[in-house]
Amino acid sequence: MATEMEGCTRKEKEACPQLLDLIPRERDWLVSRDIERSSSRGSSSSEEKKLELRLGPPGQDWSMKRERDGKSQSLLSLGYYSSPMSSNQTQKFISYQQQAKVASFLHLPVTPNKASQPWCTKALDLQNAENKGFSPAPANTAVLPNTSQKRTAPAPVVGWPPIRSFRKNLASNKSSSKSAVESENVVQIKDPNGKPVETSGKGLFVKINMDGVPIGRKVDLGAYDSYQKLSSAVDELFRGLLAAQRESCNGGTKNKQEEEKEITGLLDGSGEYTLVYEDNEGDRMLVGDVPWHMFVSTVKRVRVLKSSELSALHLRSSKDKMPL
Amino acid sequence: MVEDPSIPSSSSSQMSEDDDRSPSLDLIDGPIPSTKSRNCSGVSVSGGGTSVEYTVPYPDQVLENVLENVLCFLTSRRDRSAASLVCKSWYRAEALTRSELFIGNCYAVSPRRATARFTRVLAVTIKGKPRFADFNLMPANWGAHLAPWVSSMAKAYPWLEKLCLKRMSVTDDDLALLAESFAGFKELVLVCCDGFGTSGLAVVVSKCRQLRVLDLTETEVMDDEVDWICCFPESQTFLESLMFDCVECHINFEALEKLVARSPSLKKLRLNRHVSIGQLYRLMVRAPQLTHLGTGSFNLSEGMAQGDQELDYVSAFAACKSLVCLSGFREILLDYIPAIFPVCSNLTSLNLSYANITAEQLKPVISQCHKLQSFWVLDSICDEGLKAVAATCKELHELRVFPVNAQEDAEGPVSEVGLEAISEGCRKLRSILYFCQRMTNAAVIAMSKNCSELVVFRLCIMGRRRPDHVTGEPMDEGFGAIVMNCKKLTRLAVSGLLTDRAFSYIGKYGKLVRTLSVAFAGDSDLGLKYVLEGCHKLQKLEIRDSPFGDTALCSGLHHYYNMRFLWMSSCSLTRQGCWAIARELPRLVVEVMKSNEGEEEGDNFDTLYMYRSLEGPRDDIPQFVEILRPGI
């Protein structure tokens, strides 16, 4: 096939079926957004239509348009849909080199996308690489005419429909609803339909606040599998913050001893701070009493309290809970 | 710019000129008219035939003083332009008294020229890129840089108070220069801008101590990880409006809360989607005087489980007795919808265009919004939801229905049924933007007859070249009826299957149309010809993927100097055709653009963008732009 295609020179476009022009000799994939310039001669003339190659499923009006000036041109058609909300508008236009790379990588012959008219529309919108990935147009094997490919939708066209990127992908922005009756499994991540998702390490974010530090943090409990790991994480999270806090309290004078002091003894009451949590019933509990998985399934939020203030809080073990 | 109080809306529609009758012709008069100044130097003033000659001491100054005291009451750009053309004296007086400068195309005139003519300006509005740039039809780095404007204004207008920008490229350095240069700076409004980050914002808010308004609408702000909220002055601020709903970065909420607490004049606050409903509550209790509120996510913060102590959101809203404009709902939690009930009956503007809700979920809200004038919503509410709108919102002026699924083959939840319902119920409608998958001529015709006040009609049938889905006919008759029956129409966007006939209607009846948007429409050159020959008030024409060629382009030669710009992309133009225009009209800047860089010179290009200008070709073109200059 390649040799067949290369056998056509650009000048001999008239003789060759249109499609074969699409892979020019020098393997330069010129991607352009406009391939219907030739239509000024009258896109609806039947003679033109005869010369055109028809691609796509029967019944659909697919055709190729010639370049007016004889330059070969290829149209890259990738059947992907709007990218996720892309805040990076500077990459809208893929450079020539990038396009060429993509084209050769995908070994895609070009096919135009057609709507109901012989007018070609561009199907090129290669945006950020983080996109969902190219799903090559179903017609990627349709180099030959009359290949019946099932094509459910026309490939997207740049800038159509005219919606700004801020407004795209709202299908995923489904409104959610809390169900009236919740299970004990309180740390829930809601899926788009508002149903609680199994808490199987999928990201169980709980808030964690530390005495003396105004800004709380969030920890993903799913990332840990033991109290020890949680304790280390807390230490890492708050060590710097605590030092900064003390620094500002001291009027900015650096007290080297305060700097970055390790936070230890969170679980056994031996340290300056102790880990405490609120469970799904609103009770405050010492962290560490119950098996880890039970803790994870009932914890709502975590606090790092000063050990000296613990006795005033009437904390109990899991067997003997008392609300605060 | 004079805000029309009867259409409360987001600031982006303040930037729209659909309600402003003045064209931006003022700066294009070029040479000062010199013919009529003789009368000013004291010549005969005749009453009944006998000429009595007398001299008036320093007549120019007297006249100018009179003029200045009168002209200061003229706010409309068009009136001022007319006044400036009377004679030299009037020209000078008008220039001295113009305090608001509007630049509709930043390349039509240079900063130097503008600041030389108008020396006492307090507020400047500048628009940059053409609208199609919003839809990825123009590569980045095309231009519209704020930098040269800021430099000139820094020297010319040290007392500048207000700057409004739309589709301009703004850098952090520009913002820094702005903050340094204007001691009394009060209002910064950025619509659809980009190029700067939170560090730029930080400089502005920290140095502009008089700042009243900071409005960012659909503007991209890069996350430099600078806590700009913290940079506001520690003392009480003058803030009246703070809108950052488009800013994607997290913000320091504690700092924001304190800021709101020390901003007693704050009336407008639009939060971004990282502000949870609990945080919203805290802000609302501190600022019950708000008139405009963007609610942020309207959802719990990430990871928060329910069962938290439920805040009394209803009371918070009930306390905001002045609230008339509500938006946000970026990640709406349906259970909280009832919280807004207390304010619904006062609302004049409601923006639910980020809330994917059904008709059933909408009804309890909309049925209370009797005073609503502006409503933005997603098509998830379906035709049924639109019927509910039509049933209640009799005062509706502006409706925008956006698609949840912006694809061509998607299921279309709204259709001609919804459009017709709106036309039946909302007779005072002035502006509509409607995205749908299918439409009929009958519904569009119905709207043209029911809503005679329409000024803006933008229908986007998302499937390209879709005919009337009931009759199979082109949509010509529908759009024809719109231009025929809506006598005040100034802005039109067409879609669906359209033949040249549709354009003949537009040319024949669209005598007031100033902005026309065309995509995938028309059969031949005739279509464009009809428009260019018929629409005498046309100023902004944007066309894509339509079969209009050089002949059609030439048919507009008589009119291009009256237009702000013409955009044609993926049409049937040739280089020769564009050169012909460039040669005929030397005051036109004719830019041709390719979408793929690095391609060798050739006949093909993708986009023609041309505009009148006093300055000739700009000197900041990127590689992919070529300006066709005759004589070179």
Side-chain angles (χ1 to χ4, degrees), chain A residues 274-285:
Chain A
T274 301
L275 273 180
V276 155
Y277 74 100
E278 282 172 24
D279 71 0
N280 52 345
E281 292 172 3
D283 300 328
R284 275 207 181 173
M285 316 270 283

Side-chain angles (χ1 to χ4, degrees), chain A residues 10 26 28-44 67-69 71-73 81-82 85-97 99 113-122 124-125 127 132 152-182 186-190 203-207 214-216 218 278 280 299-301, chain B residues 12 131-141 166-167 192 194 218-220 246-248 252 254 273 299-310 329-336 351 353-357 361 376 378 402-409 435 460-467 494-495 497 519-520 522-523 544-549 569-574 594-607:
Chain A
R10 290 184 201 156
E26 56 274 20
D28 281 336
W29 288 74
L30 301 175
V31 191
S32 166
R33 290 174 51 238
D34 180 7
I35 57 170
E36 70 268 25
R37 264 179 288 281
S38 54
S39 65
S40 68
R41 284 179 243 143
S43 54
S44 32
E67 257 309 296
R68 173 188 303 117
D69 57 7
K71 278 209 178 127
S72 70
Q73 195 178 28
Y81 294 97
S82 306
M85 202 186 288
S86 161
S87 58
N88 186 1
Q89 289 189 4
T90 58
Q91 287 186 36
K92 291 169 213 158
F93 268 68
I94 297 290
S95 70
Y96 164 73
Q97 278 73 23
Q99 287 163 341
N113 161 50
K114 299 302 278 180
S116 53
Q117 299 282 318
W119 270 96
C120 293
T121 50
K122 295 258 162 53
L124 175 66
D125 188 8
Q127 288 186 351
K132 298 169 196 173
T152 51
V157 167
V158 180
W160 188 263
I163 305 275
R164 296 193 183 116
S165 58
F166 284 98
R167 297 199 173 277
K168 290 208 164 156
N169 287 335
L170 291 176
S172 54
N173 196 20
K174 244 186 138 55
S175 50
S176 47
S177 167
K178 303 186 287 186
S179 30
V181 177
E182 289 290 8
V186 176
V187 177
Q188 300 177 40
I189 311 299
K190 302 254 194 291
L204 313 172
F205 288 95
V206 287
K207 264 199 172 170
I215 299 177
K218 279 207 187 118
E278 282 172 24
N280 52 345
V299 65
K300 256 183 51 192
R301 62 189 304 161
Chain B
S12 62
R131 197 179 72 98
F132 274 2
D134 290 351
F135 313 122
N136 298 6
L137 290 181
M138 181 181 253
N141 306 322
K166 188 166 187 181
R167 293 197 190 95
C192 301
D194 61 7
E218 299 196 8
T219 285
E220 277 194 29
C246 57
V247 176
E248 284 295 305
N252 179 340
E254 276 73 24
R273 61 182 184 88
N299 200 328
L300 300 169
S301 51
E302 205 184 292
M304 288 305 284
Q306 67 169 59
D308 266 0
Q309 183 191 12
E310 278 299 331
F329 308 104
R330 302 296 291 257
E331 281 148 28
I332 188 171
L333 194 53
L334 298 169
D335 304 56
Y336 290 130
N351 182 348
S353 64
Y354 287 97
N356 190 342
I357 59 173
Q361 290 154 357
W376 292 23
L378 285 177
F402 293 97
V404 167
N405 221 334
Q407 292 164 26
E408 293 188 63
D409 61 332
F435 283 87
C460 182
I461 303 169
M462 288 190 276
R464 283 165 275 158
R465 303 189 194 87
R466 292 238 175 103
V494 301
S495 61
L497 179 63
F520 305 101
D523 298 322
R544 62 166 296 179
D545 294 277
S546 300
F548 306 135
S569 59
S570 305
C571 297
S572 302
L573 301 173
T574 69
K594 299 195 233 284
S595 65
N596 37 329
E597 312 183 24
E599 189 185 313
E600 66 274 18
E601 283 293 306
D603 233 24
N604 44 328
F605 58 93
D606 300 301
T607 303

Side-chain angles (χ1 to χ4, degrees), chain B residues 195-447:
Chain B
F196 65 97
T198 45
S199 27
L201 287 180
V203 181
V204 170
V205 303
S206 71
K207 295 213 167 141
C208 300
R209 305 241 134 194
Q210 309 287 320
L211 199 65
R212 285 196 299 229
V213 170
L214 178 61
D215 289 353
L216 307 170
T217 302
E218 299 196 8
T219 285
E220 277 194 29
V221 180
M222 290 182 288
D223 189 351
D224 306 328
E225 300 188 0
V226 169
D227 185 352
W228 58 282
I229 300 275
C230 272
C231 295
F232 279 92
E234 298 269 319
S235 54
Q236 267 203 358
T237 75
F238 299 99
L239 267 185
E240 294 170 20
S241 175
L242 179 62
M243 301 193 187
F244 62 95
D245 44 336
C246 57
V247 176
E248 284 295 305
C249 334
H250 288 265
I251 49 134
N252 179 340
F253 179 73
E254 276 73 24
L256 177 65
E257 193 176 7
K258 290 182 191 150
L259 176 65
V260 170
R262 64 180 192 277
S263 302
S265 309
L266 194 66
K267 292 279 193 297
K268 302 183 187 181
L269 180 63
R270 291 205 178 135
L271 308 166
N272 71 8
R273 61 182 184 88
H274 297 293
V275 178
S276 70
I277 193 167
Q279 292 171 330
L280 170 68
Y281 175 87
R282 284 158 65 175
L283 295 175
M284 288 179 73
V285 299
R286 289 191 183 280
Q289 76 280 8
L290 288 177
T291 58
H292 292 55
L293 176 64
T295 65
S297 72
F298 213 65
N299 200 328
L300 300 169
S301 51
E302 205 184 292
M304 288 305 284
Q306 67 169 59
D308 266 0
Q309 183 191 12
E310 278 299 331
L311 298 165
D312 192 354
Y313 299 113
V314 175
S315 297
F317 274 93
C320 294
K321 303 211 183 294
S322 313
L323 203 60
V324 291
C325 176
L326 195 55
S327 61
F329 308 104
R330 302 296 291 257
E331 281 148 28
I332 188 171
L333 194 53
L334 298 169
D335 304 56
Y336 290 130
I337 285 185
I340 70 170
F341 286 169
V343 297
C344 285
S345 51
N346 286 331
L347 287 181
T348 54
S349 171
L350 177 60
N351 182 348
L352 293 175
S353 64
Y354 287 97
N356 190 342
I357 59 173
T358 65
E360 286 313 305
Q361 290 154 357
L362 173 69
K363 280 178 186 171
V365 173
I366 206 71
S367 58
Q368 302 181 57
C369 297
H370 302 277
K371 290 191 189 164
L372 208 59
Q373 294 178 16
S374 169
F375 186 47
W376 292 23
V377 72
L378 285 177
D379 63 3
S380 56
I381 63 167
C382 301
D383 289 327
E384 200 194 329
L386 290 172
K387 287 183 187 167
V389 175
T392 315
C393 305
K394 300 301 178 189
E395 302 298 315
L396 203 66
H397 287 162
E398 184 194 18
L399 175 67
R400 294 197 192 191
V401 180
F402 293 97
V404 167
N405 221 334
Q407 292 164 26
E408 293 188 63
D409 61 332
E411 266 299 304
V414 298
S415 68
E416 73 277 5
V417 173
L419 189 73
E420 200 151 358
I422 291 290
S423 75
E424 294 280 331
C426 306
R427 299 292 173 117
K428 300 186 185 178
L429 202 64
R430 295 183 197 173
S431 169
I432 183 164
L433 170 62
Y434 196 86
F435 283 87
C436 58
Q437 294 287 352
R438 58 195 191 283
M439 186 48 58
T440 63
N441 281 308
V444 179
I445 293 171
M447 175 155 272

Side-chain angles (χ1 to χ4, degrees), chain B residues 574-606:
Chain B
T574 69
R575 237 186 164 72
Q576 291 89 323
C578 299
W579 268 111
I581 305 293
R583 273 191 295 271
E584 284 293 318
L585 301 175
R587 292 282 214 180
L588 220 54
V589 173
V590 180
E591 296 192 12
V592 296
M593 283 180 255
K594 299 195 233 284
S595 65
N596 37 329
E597 312 183 24
E599 189 185 313
E600 66 274 18
E601 283 293 306
D603 233 24
N604 44 328
F605 58 93
D606 300 301

Side-chain angles (χ1 to χ4, degrees), chain B residues 46-114:
Chain B
S46 73
T50 350
S51 57
V52 178
E53 208 167 6
Y54 58 89
T55 47
V56 182
Y58 309 115
D60 282 345
Q61 285 176 339
V62 169
L63 189 59
E64 279 186 24
N65 284 340
V66 168
L67 283 175
E68 283 181 39
N69 285 315
V70 169
L71 283 178
C72 59
F73 293 105
L74 274 185
T75 47
S76 146
R77 296 200 298 273
R78 165 179 289 196
D79 293 345
R80 285 194 153 268
S81 177
S84 71
L85 292 173
V86 169
C87 65
K88 258 193 209 168
S89 218
W90 284 56
Y91 180 90
R92 274 195 297 271
E94 192 281 312
L96 286 172
T97 53
R98 189 182 297 215
S99 60
E100 286 181 12
L101 184 59
F102 177 87
I103 311 285
N105 175 1
C106 63
Y107 288 120
V109 65
S110 68
R112 186 195 44 78
R113 186 187 296 262

